[in-house]
Amino acid sequence: MYPLVPANMTEVAEKITYLKSKGNDVTEAEVIRQAVLDNGQQMLDGALEGPYWKLKWQEGDSKLAVFDIMNKEVGVVSSPSGSFSSDFRNNTPNFVRYLADHIQKIVDNN
């Protein structure tokens, strides 16, 4: 198991290399998509001080929905460009700030 969640494109490439060396056939798009979800989940867990809520994909890779402990949707984060994968690929620092800000707003409002 690859222990780190990629936080930039260099780390995405490292994860791809690692996974392929272990016999996994993965694409860059798959690794980025999982990195977006994992980064968001880590932000959510940090904001709540524990893994109480879940982040799930909605509408391809353009929206992430936040579900509370009762599995009720409590908020949605939409990609500013229409694709979280593109946001991650093109400007990871801005993507991370954007996602963190929106997740924190959802937590604060619930």
Side-chain angles (χ1 to χ4, degrees), residues 70-105:
M70 301 302 291
N71 206 32
K72 176 185 160 213
E73 186 176 305
V74 293
V76 175
V77 181
S78 296
S79 163
S81 74
S83 168
F84 277 114
S85 297
S86 293
D87 298 337
F88 183 95
R89 183 180 287 113
N90 295 330
N91 194 334
T92 308
N94 281 346
F95 157 76
V96 169
R97 276 190 297 278
Y98 175 87
L99 189 57
D101 288 347
H102 284 78
I103 286 175
Q104 189 62 55
K105 286 177 188 171

Side-chain angles (χ1 to χ4, degrees), residues 26-73:
V26 297
T27 65
E28 180 181 83
E30 291 169 331
V31 172
I32 291 171
R33 188 172 161 88
Q34 190 62 49
V36 168
L37 187 63
D38 291 345
N39 275 289
Q41 187 65 53
Q42 285 180 344
M43 292 171 192
L44 187 57
D45 293 350
L48 295 169
E49 298 180 2
Y52 303 108
W53 293 1
K54 295 293 176 214
L55 197 62
K56 299 178 184 175
W57 286 109
Q58 301 286 318
E59 298 182 26
D61 101 359
S62 66
K63 289 186 181 183
L64 288 165
V66 179
F67 293 86
D68 69 10
I69 198 162
M70 301 302 291
N71 206 32
K72 176 185 160 213
E73 186 176 305

